[in-house]
Amino acid sequence: MTLNLTTLPNGLRIVTEHMPGLKSASAGVWVQAGGRHETAAQNGIAHFLEHMAFKGTQRRSSLQIAEEIEDVGGYINAYTSREMTAYYARVLQGDVALALDVISDIVLNPVFDPKEIETERHVILQEIGQALDTPDDIIFDWLQEVSYPDQPFGRAILGPSEGVAGFGRDDLTRFVGQHYGPDQMILSAAGGVDHDAIVAQAEAIFGGLSPVGKGPLHPALFANGERREVKDLEQVHFAMAFEAPGYRHDDVFIAQVYAMALGGGMSSRLFQKIREERGLCYSIFAQSGAYEDTGQITIYAGTSEEEIGDLAGLTIDELKRAADDMSEAEVARARTQIKAGMLMGLESASSRAERIARLLSIYGRVPDVDEAVARVDAVTTADVRRYAESLTGAKSALALYGPVARAPGLEAIRERLSA
């Protein structure tokens, strides 16, 4: 594998990874602008803008955008996260230049036709409605809100319906002007790619653009919080979060190993104790997420109204027990699962393009995968037990949805955890 990085004078970073023998490639533009870069009035506009990019440019209609990629057997898509918006395509290696031309066109030249804005506004409002009707989806938005109240990092990426209903062309144009500069973009490609050819094309397309500078970032401040939503559902949906390290913190890999051992698979503690031994739920898991200045350990499960008390209590007991008896075998298994996920992902051009773009945005460089593997391998059982112990006093948040009358509140859960 050959990794190359070039930075244009205006700040655009171009990173590629050639994968010998691969006849396809993945390429895209990752913009360092997501949900947390919005003001309260802009909440949801980064996602709205992602949708509008596909609704026509100065050179292509929405149909032509899709046809040009699909005519060569390719795939094009985009997503909005809390810290980034990505536009990417997967094509055969001979069509990389076409893919980059289409992607750069939708990123740099959207027309924001008023008629298309109204059409896509309706689509997004339907998407918000669908999320509200999906309990194991919307509960994570509510958990985020109570974990980071009254701040950009806590707001839903889709935004509120009333905000989306009011966005106009000027709002979209203003957000682009604030955040869509070359210095806030990473052009990433992996697979059957030629770095020099991509750089030459990028210079022609992006070279004349002026940087916009990085705006102030509102710090993410985790808080203890709870939200209970009563609804006549078959199950109580239970989601809990603990403050965890950001991705530059020394403990970030410890948190990942801990979350994997706690609830990352069928062999994990929560799955074995609560589903396999007690049969209290169909699905239960724990996961670790890291961001620029914060992170979260998140636990989710769904169970009946009658059994939510038992499920919550057993979950907390397993959290406490991990500090005392997390075994060498459990930690070794979790390390192996994390490493396997990393290494298996390297077999995909799309995963590699995503990986190198994200790592470059985080560290300003692309660490070799061996560096990440070494950091995972360095996590000891003592480290995991220490981290588990720290959670007994960590800030936490709780979201409950469904017939929640018998569900314990956050205060009761925290008391049980610290007892």
Side-chain angles (χ1 to χ4, degrees), residues 5 37 52 94 139-140 167 176 193 270 292 325-326 389 398 407 409-410:
L5 172 63
H37 299 94
M52 288 305 303
I139 196 170
F140 289 102
F167 290 146
V176 169
V193 296
L270 292 178
E292 182 165 344
D325 65 359
M326 180 68 75
E389 176 66 28
L398 178 68
L410 181 63

Side-chain angles (χ1 to χ4, degrees), residues 45 56 96 243 292 324 332 341 361 375:
I45 202 164
V96 171
E243 186 176 21
E292 182 165 344
D324 298 323
S361 73
R375 291 189 67 185

Side-chain angles (χ1 to χ4, degrees), residues 306-321:
E306 294 76 21
E307 294 176 316
I308 182 59
D310 288 341
L311 182 142
L314 285 171
T315 297
I316 297 307
D317 292 346
E318 287 302 310
L319 287 168
K320 293 175 63 177
R321 193 166 67 86

Side-chain angles (χ1 to χ4, degrees), residues 13 36 59 105 112 146 152 193 204 213 216 252 279 281 299 301 313 345 368 372 383 414 419:
R13 289 173 287 178
R36 73 174 306 178
R59 295 164 50 201
D105 193 25
F112 300 143
V146 294
V193 296
V252 65
C281 64
I299 300 166
D368 189 86
D383 290 331
R414 288 176 60 82

Side-chain angles (χ1 to χ4, degrees), residues 19 22 90 190 344-353:
M19 302 169 69
L22 210 63
R90 181 78 185 270
M344 289 177 184
L346 297 180
E347 298 177 1
S348 160
S350 296
S351 294
R352 279 186 179 260

Side-chain angles (χ1 to χ4, degrees), residues 238 240 258 262 269-281 284 299 301 303 307-322 408 413 416-417:
F238 168 95
M240 190 170 185
Y258 166 79
L262 181 70
R269 288 190 163 212
L270 292 178
F271 193 94
Q272 284 296 311
K273 173 64 70 174
I274 295 173
R275 173 180 159 147
E276 296 296 276
E277 292 183 21
R278 295 293 301 274
L280 294 178
C281 64
I284 185 167
I299 300 166
T303 192
E307 294 176 316
I308 182 59
D310 288 341
L311 182 142
L314 285 171
T315 297
I316 297 307
D317 292 346
E318 287 302 310
L319 287 168
K320 293 175 63 177
R321 193 166 67 86
I413 287 175
R416 183 164 181 160
L417 184 60

